[in-house]
Amino acid sequence: MTLNTEKSKKQLLEDINELQKINKKLKIDLEEAQTDAKIVNHVKSMFLSNISHEIRTPMNGIIGMYNVLKQTKLSKEQIEFLDIINISGQNLISVIDDILDLSKIESGNLKLENKQFSINDKIEKIKNLLIFKSKGKGINLISEHDTKIPKYVLGDAGRFKQILTNLTNNAIKYTKEGSVTIKTQLLKDTNKHIFVKFNIIDTGIGITEKNRENLFKSFYQVDSSTTRKYGGTGLGLAISKHLTKIMGGDIGVESTFGKGSTFWFILKFNKVLKNEVDLKSKDGIQKSGSKKLSVLIVEDNLLNQRFASATLIKQGHNVDIAENGMIAVEKFKNNKYDVILMDIQMPVMDGIEAAKEIRRIEKERNIAINKRVNILAVTAYVLDHDKDMCLAAGMDEYLAKPYKPQELIQLIEKIYY
Ligand code: ADP
């Protein structure tokens, strides 16, 4: 009996030992798998960043030239053709943006803002943007606000706007007649947080129960003719689902086929304490200056050079051009510029190196930080770490290509006036 107990004790110890070994091996395997997954994710975002750069650069030329051409004398027919080029270009850019956005969210690289804003004001702004589209289709766009929702909350207004715009856009897109209503409802009010439900109710084509199951998956569209008929990528709902989860909420749909759908989402916001309410809303107002600036455009692509110069000259600024970083550094040594628009990927010397070299020369010349030339990175690389790389090289601001003339003008106004 004792012998037996001793034996089984020994066996037990051996088993425990074996289990510990397996456990250790599993831990190592798991760590390796996690490292592999990290590498795969990194490679994926590098790949997407490069692809988007390759597409955005020529797109910048196309959209840029659309803007320049639109300001010349054109026949009605030419304007119509030109607008089609613009719409298709903008659509292509939004597809690229969606893919990049989804990859950023999936890799856990999304940083949420926690800034004060008004939910009602934001909804009204979104409504004003979309009302032309709904009016064009003869659909009423209505908003109904729950008065119990506090005037100001803390959260990521940009991401909130992205979800609501996406769902409202869809509702208008898939409705032939009737109305689209954005309705808010305060679900829960705790000490620190509020939970708000947003309903987007349409009287459109509706979705069958079977199709509803797959709606929030990437690239899913109810039928393949959808893209041809309505445009879109099938990524909007997948992105919205990820975003609502990250923002402490949820998303869903109720629908009757042929009658209409109600897409809803819930978000959690931080509450603003009464004495914290900051009434100086930054929204909208831009200072406009009249000082004529001397701008150096550093850019190797001829179309992009012409687009940037046309925009700046129209504003009354003086423009000089360098077609790579090396020439830019030489020009900087011998001239006085207020602003340098710096492309990143260029032959001979790239924008990062050129910016570093300019900052080095300024240091050598003992130029005070507030007297330094403003360097604006203008690039089709749009991931966060690309932005960080530009700022680390000493650049002051960042503009993603392709940009509209107004975006360049506003950025210059923001830093200069
Ligand atoms: P996209 O609209 O770009 O195709 P989404 O992810 O936003 O992609 O939507 C996926 C699919 O869900 C759409 O292609 C459409 O078939 C369906 N859908 C979305 N919203 C509605 C709606 N309000 N009414 C009917 N169908 C919709």
Side-chain angles (χ1 to χ4, degrees), residues 42-207:
H42 181 69
V43 171
K44 191 173 130 192
S45 58
M46 288 301 291
F47 171 75
L48 282 170
S49 169
N50 284 334
I51 288 277
S52 92
H53 179 262
E54 294 309 320
I55 301 174
R56 272 172 171 268
T57 303
M59 279 317 290
N60 194 35
I62 294 170
I63 304 278
M65 280 300 122
Y66 155 82
N67 282 304
V68 175
L69 209 57
K70 190 84 195 266
Q71 285 159 24
T72 61
K73 214 164 178 266
L74 297 165
S75 71
K76 222 176 137 206
E77 199 183 28
Q78 284 170 323
I79 292 175
E80 225 172 84
F81 294 159
L82 209 53
D83 283 340
I84 296 173
I85 295 179
N86 184 39
I87 291 168
S88 308
Q90 299 290 357
N91 280 347
L92 181 55
I93 291 166
S94 66
V95 173
I96 302 165
D97 284 347
D98 274 357
I99 294 175
L100 265 176
D101 211 23
L102 190 66
S103 116
K104 196 162 144 189
I105 296 168
E106 279 181 343
S107 65
N109 280 334
L110 187 73
K111 289 179 206 137
L112 285 180
E113 283 201 338
N114 188 40
K115 287 198 180 142
Q116 184 181 304
F117 74 100
S118 154
I119 293 178
N120 286 2
D121 289 356
K122 200 87 210 163
I123 294 176
E124 289 310 306
K125 274 188 190 154
I126 294 168
K127 202 175 124 187
N128 285 339
L129 282 177
L130 297 177
I131 209 143
F132 294 101
K133 210 178 220 175
S134 65
K135 267 193 182 154
K137 292 184 79 178
I139 299 164
N140 275 333
L141 185 56
I142 304 158
S143 56
E144 288 174 18
H145 301 291
D146 184 342
T147 50
K148 291 194 287 303
I149 295 172
K151 173 93 178 108
Y152 291 104
V153 295
L154 290 170
D156 196 320
R159 291 299 180 174
F160 162 61
K161 178 182 170 192
Q162 187 178 355
I163 304 168
L164 185 60
T165 308
N166 180 27
L167 297 188
T168 314
N169 240 330
N170 276 351
I172 298 171
K173 193 153 96 173
Y174 299 107
T175 300
K176 270 204 212 89
E177 54 185 1
S179 61
V180 170
T181 307
I182 304 170
K183 194 172 170 184
T184 58
Q185 184 192 354
L186 180 67
L187 275 192
K188 204 163 129 191
D189 190 344
T190 69
N191 268 346
K192 289 189 176 162
H193 306 114
I194 59 161
F195 290 80
V196 182
K197 185 172 183 186
F198 302 88
N199 297 284
I200 298 88
I201 308 155
D202 70 50
T203 55
I205 57 174
I207 307 153

Side-chain angles (χ1 to χ4, degrees), residues 361-392:
I361 296 168
E362 283 176 332
K363 221 172 175 181
E364 214 173 69
R365 291 180 179 172
N366 281 326
I367 293 173
I369 297 239
N370 59 350
K371 294 267 159 58
R372 296 190 323 184
V373 62
N374 281 301
I375 309 181
L376 311 187
V378 185
T379 171
Y381 284 107
V382 288
L383 291 182
D384 271 351
H385 76 263
D386 301 318
K387 209 171 180 173
D388 294 343
M389 207 165 68
C390 294
L391 300 180

